[in-house]
Amino acid sequence: MQHARDSRPVYSTETGRLCPDCGQPLAQCRCRQQAKARPAGDGIVRVSRETTGRKGKGVTLVRGLDLDDAALSALAKQLKAACGSGGTVKDGVIEVQGDHVETVMARLTAAGHRVKRAGG
């Protein structure tokens, strides 16, 4: 038996997808935006190489950048162009396909960031 409080629409033909928690359209939802807030970093950008969970393919990860989503995407685009490879931005972490740790570190240092190599 379903209760009224457990039943809530998740899609509206007028506004599209709705937040399951507050029932507002996803573009206007405040509860999800608060949950996505990234923790403040310590001012040091950490660059590492990782293969875990990627079927042996290496990616270069850039963590700790205190930038908004638009600036993070723009920086990711510049880094990918400098390395000549693809990549993405996920949860505030820039992923560049391939082993480009040295290139990324040089670019970030030239841009004025404090950079450390993380991992092995």
Side-chain angles (χ1 to χ4, degrees):
M1 177 179 216
Q2 225 178 19
H3 299 287
R5 64 182 163 84
D6 293 335
S7 178
R8 175 172 283 182
V10 293
Y11 185 83
S12 168
T13 55
E14 294 175 11
T15 58
R17 293 197 44 85
L18 302 173
C19 174
D21 297 326
C22 65
Q24 296 293 320
L26 285 180
Q28 300 169 354
C29 174
R30 296 289 177 207
C31 60
R32 296 283 175 157
Q33 291 174 355
Q34 291 171 355
K36 285 185 179 178
R38 292 190 292 267
D42 57 358
I44 300 173
V45 179
R46 288 175 170 79
V47 181
S48 62
R49 182 178 174 276
E50 190 174 285
T51 58
T52 307
R54 293 175 173 86
K55 298 180 183 177
K57 305 286 184 176
V59 296
T60 302
L61 301 176
V62 181
R63 292 186 171 100
L65 287 165
D66 192 21
L67 301 172
D68 63 342
D69 291 337
L72 204 60
S73 296
L75 180 61
K77 185 174 181 177
Q78 293 172 359
L79 292 175
K80 292 185 301 182
C83 297
S85 64
T88 187
V89 178
K90 292 183 182 174
D91 299 325
V93 177
I94 297 175
E95 297 181 6
V96 180
Q97 295 174 352
D99 186 6
H100 302 287
V101 175
E102 297 301 324
T103 306
V104 169
M105 287 179 65
R107 287 287 181 147
L108 291 173
T109 303
H113 297 284
R114 290 179 52 197
V115 182
K116 279 188 178 179
R117 183 175 183 142

